[in-house]
């Protein structure tokens, strides 16, 4: 039982503030799953893998070693490994290469609500620039370009509004997932809409449980109970909280993606 089980790992992916944390906490309720929230080691390594600074063999060995260590640390070696880290949105092809039987759960949220929620956190806020705080991955809090920002737009990212940076983050994470998911077999990629998740929790719990092939009644009951704690009042908050100018910035940056996902009607 001390040989870590890295068969069919489960990755929860989605842009920041799209419900990945809550979904991960729900998945953690399943006794079949060994769930890990944003492991610091793999979170910090993401930029090096994405930018090609590490050779594939080194990156593969690193990730497998980190995940195996986490399984041993938590005495979960015989369970199914799962983690959520937003930066995995940019590493799907890599993760699929090293774990060809992996499954990915993509939670999608209206970018306007996600950006609003993100903008209320200190991570990308201009006001955090002098805080001296850093993310666990090493980036300073504030309006500083992360590895996923287009190099030619770095200055724009660092001087624009908070809400613009946050919808930018939503667009980049979401478009990266959608592009890479095309390479995945259908049985290994699952989409869950945040809005359905919080408004129809029991229906969505059944769908996800069926996808994960979890049949134990007690396990299914646990996920139903966890999903039922979702807050439906978080849907559509942007309508009252965002100014017309902020909505305009959002649509200029991410209008095509919002429209493609059905959140924005075409003109």
């Amino acid at each position: 039982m001390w040989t870590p089980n890295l068969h069919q790992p489960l990755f929860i992916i989605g842009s920041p503030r799209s419900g990945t944390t809550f979904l991960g906490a729900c998945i953690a309720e399943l006794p079949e799953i060994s769930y890990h929230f944003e492991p610091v080691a793999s979170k910090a390594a993401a930029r090096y893998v994405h930018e090609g600074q590490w050779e594939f063999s080194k990156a593969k060995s690193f990730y497998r070693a980190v995940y195996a260590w986490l399984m041993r640390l938590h005495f979960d070696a015989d369970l199914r490994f799962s983690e959520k880290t937003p930066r995995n949105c940019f590493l799907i092809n890599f993760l699929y290469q090293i774990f060809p039987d992996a499954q990915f759960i993509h939670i999608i949220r209206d970018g306007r609500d996600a950006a609003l929620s993100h903008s209320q956190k200190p991570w990308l806020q201009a006001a955090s620039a002098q805080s001296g705080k850093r993310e666990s991955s090493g980036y300073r809090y504030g309006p500083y370009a992360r590895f996923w920002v287009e190099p030619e737009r770095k200055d724009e990212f660092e001087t624009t509004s908070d809400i613009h940076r946050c919808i930018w983050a939503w667009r980049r994470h979401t478009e990266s997932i959608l592009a890479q998911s095309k390479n995945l077999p259908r049985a290994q990629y699952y989409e869950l809409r945040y809005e359905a998740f919080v408004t129809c929790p029991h229906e969505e719990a059944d769908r996800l449980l069926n996808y994960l092939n979890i049949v134990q009644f007690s396990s299914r009951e646990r996920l139903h109970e966890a999903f039922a704690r979702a807050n439906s009042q978080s849907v559509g908050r942007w309508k009252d909280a965002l100014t017309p100018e902020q909505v305009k910035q959002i649509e200029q940056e991410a209008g095509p993606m919002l429209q493609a996902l059905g959140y924005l009607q075409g003109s």
Side-chain angles (χ1 to χ4, degrees):
M1 83 180 269
W2 294 107
T3 300
N5 172 31
L6 295 181
H7 172 67
Q8 207 174 30
L10 179 64
F11 296 99
I12 299 167
I13 51 178
S15 74
R17 310 306 297 172
S18 286
T20 55
T21 296
F22 184 78
L23 177 58
C26 293
I27 294 291
E29 294 287 328
L30 295 171
E32 296 88 346
I33 303 292
S34 175
Y35 174 72
H36 303 270
F37 173 83
E38 300 188 12
V40 173
S42 56
K43 185 176 181 180
R47 63 188 296 187
Y48 304 111
V49 176
H50 181 262
E51 294 173 351
Q53 296 185 45
W54 285 3
E55 293 183 354
F56 176 78
S57 59
K58 174 181 178 178
K60 176 181 178 179
S61 296
F62 179 85
Y63 272 75
R64 292 188 67 88
V66 167
Y67 292 164
W69 177 78
L70 287 170
M71 295 285 276
R72 291 191 182 98
L73 180 67
H74 292 268
F75 296 95
D76 287 344
D78 56 335
L79 301 182
R80 182 179 177 187
F81 180 84
S82 177
E83 74 129 303
K84 90 92 181 173
T85 303
R87 291 183 180 172
N88 284 340
C89 298
F90 301 95
L91 303 182
I92 294 171
N93 288 337
F94 165 73
L95 292 170
Y96 179 47
Q97 277 187 280
I98 61 176
F99 301 109
D101 59 351
Q103 287 185 302
F104 297 83
I105 301 175
H106 179 196
I107 182 167
I108 302 174
R109 186 182 188 184
D110 187 329
R112 296 164 293 191
D113 277 330
L116 171 62
S117 179
H118 199 177
S119 71
Q120 294 170 340
K121 297 295 182 179
W123 310 314
L124 293 179
Q125 288 179 357
S128 298
Q130 305 304 321
S131 69
K133 294 182 179 180
R134 290 182 179 270
E135 298 177 12
S136 58
S137 58
Y139 281 112
R140 289 183 295 165
Y141 279 23
Y144 308 110
R146 275 50 170 175
F147 69 85
W148 42 262
V149 175
E150 300 90 334
E152 68 277 9
R153 297 184 67 189
K154 178 178 180 291
D155 289 343
E156 180 188 357
F157 183 88
E158 295 185 347
T159 56
T160 191
S161 67
D162 290 348
I163 197 69
H164 186 193
R165 272 188 292 277
C166 292
I167 192 63
W168 198 323
W170 177 85
R171 175 185 61 79
R172 288 292 285 156
H173 284 75
T174 304
E175 68 185 10
S176 179
I177 296 171
L178 295 178
Q180 293 178 84
S181 66
K182 295 176 182 178
N183 301 323
L184 299 174
R186 179 175 298 182
Q188 290 175 243
Y189 174 73
Y190 180 89
E191 284 187 358
L192 170 63
R193 290 296 179 110
Y194 178 91
E195 294 76 22
F197 175 41
V198 301
T199 56
C200 304
H202 296 295
E203 293 86 341
E204 293 303 320
D206 276 333
R207 287 183 60 228
L208 182 56
L209 287 162
N210 293 340
Y211 170 71
L212 296 175
N213 195 32
I214 291 178
V215 298
Q216 185 69 29
F217 176 77
S218 59
S219 298
R220 296 180 71 92
E221 192 172 46
R222 282 193 182 192
L223 194 69
H224 273 269
E225 292 174 355
F227 269 33
R229 294 194 287 269
N231 178 16
S232 62
Q233 295 181 352
S234 59
V235 175
R237 287 184 57 235
W238 69 270
K239 296 176 183 177
D240 296 321
L242 296 178
T243 67
E245 179 58 33
Q246 288 176 317
V247 173
K248 182 179 178 180
Q249 273 195 313
I250 283 174
E251 293 183 2
Q252 287 176 335
E253 181 62 45
M257 179 63 70
L258 288 166
Q259 186 173 337
L261 293 172
Y263 291 117
L264 185 66
Q265 298 302 312
S267 56

